[in-house]
Amino acid sequence: MTAVFSHGRLRLYLLKLLDDGPRHGYELIRLLEDRFLGLYAPSAGTIYPRLQRLEVEGLVTHTAAGGRKVYEITDAGRSELRQRAGELATLESDITTSVEDLSALAGEIQTEVRGSVRDLKRELREATRQTRQSRAARWEPPPARPAANGAPPAAESPLLAEFDQRLAAFTVEVGALVRAGRLSDSQLRTAIRVLDGALDGLRRLLR
């Protein structure tokens, strides 16, 4: 759970969302994810126990609809919201700040990864050009292709070995950057999504 919702503040925000209208649990999760621009989404294991607690306290109630529980705020829940209006305003401000921080972090990671991918593309192109020039100068035939049964060629290309080295160095550097930042779970999820995007880009490049 993101730090902005520590000390019972998620409970207050759930009341605020239910004050806008009845919702089932996954609607509340989606609304929270939208509020954080997709950079954070609470799990069902985070939301449902809090809804159950709110119901025990008489602040929300639920009805069954289509096999789902639909939660609705009670008069007692609205009364608590009015009493804690100042806390809610502060929470909204803190959420806005948190979203800005997460967005900035995501942008930094994307810039790092994009720069590394650009460097990798440039180095691959340069290595390919140099290899072609070297072959042309020595009148060498191209490397043997794998046999039809999938057996590898007799010797691995030096370019592949260099690629493996650079890929390993990239992995170490990204890991060090992330660990040095002591990222939260939501920030780590953002970093993972960025890396997935970089992988998709490489897949498109190498097709």
Side-chain angles (χ1 to χ4, degrees), residues 17-199:
L17 292 177
L18 290 173
D19 191 41
D20 294 334
R23 313 279 184 188
H24 57 71
Y26 280 97
E27 283 183 301
L28 294 169
I29 291 173
R30 179 182 55 78
L31 288 170
L32 282 162
E33 185 174 11
D34 290 346
R35 180 66 178 86
F36 280 84
L37 304 181
L39 299 173
Y40 163 74
S43 66
T46 297
I47 293 298
Y48 283 104
R50 284 166 174 79
L51 289 172
Q52 291 170 2
R53 182 63 182 170
L54 289 170
E55 190 167 15
V56 169
E57 295 172 0
L59 303 179
V60 305
T61 186
H62 84 267
T63 56
R68 291 179 172 178
K69 290 182 178 180
V70 177
Y71 293 88
E72 186 173 359
I73 193 169
T74 64
D75 290 340
R78 291 191 179 90
S79 177
E80 177 161 336
L81 273 181
R82 288 194 296 269
Q83 293 171 10
R84 301 178 64 184
E87 290 180 58
L88 184 59
T90 300
L91 176 56
E92 285 285 11
S93 177
D94 290 346
I95 290 174
T96 298
T97 300
S98 178
V99 170
E100 291 172 352
D101 291 343
L102 289 172
S103 297
L105 174 64
E108 291 172 6
I109 294 175
Q110 286 176 339
T111 299
E112 277 295 326
V113 173
R114 286 171 181 165
S116 298
V117 171
R118 282 196 299 270
D119 291 343
L120 178 60
K121 288 180 179 179
R122 183 170 59 251
E123 290 167 5
L124 285 172
R125 286 196 297 267
E126 179 62 20
T128 301
R129 184 185 65 80
Q130 291 178 2
T131 300
R132 287 172 177 169
Q133 289 178 344
S134 177
R135 287 176 185 164
R138 298 195 304 268
W139 294 94
E140 290 181 353
R145 293 184 178 180
N149 61 5
E156 186 180 77
S157 165
L159 181 58
L160 284 176
E162 181 180 354
F163 175 82
D164 288 340
Q165 292 174 354
R166 292 186 181 277
L167 181 60
F170 172 76
T171 302
V172 170
E173 183 176 352
V174 171
L177 286 170
V178 171
R179 287 179 174 82
R182 297 181 181 178
L183 306 184
S184 66
D185 287 349
S186 60
Q187 291 169 330
L188 283 172
R189 290 191 190 97
T190 301
I192 290 169
R193 286 197 293 270
V194 172
L195 289 177
D196 287 342
L199 179 59

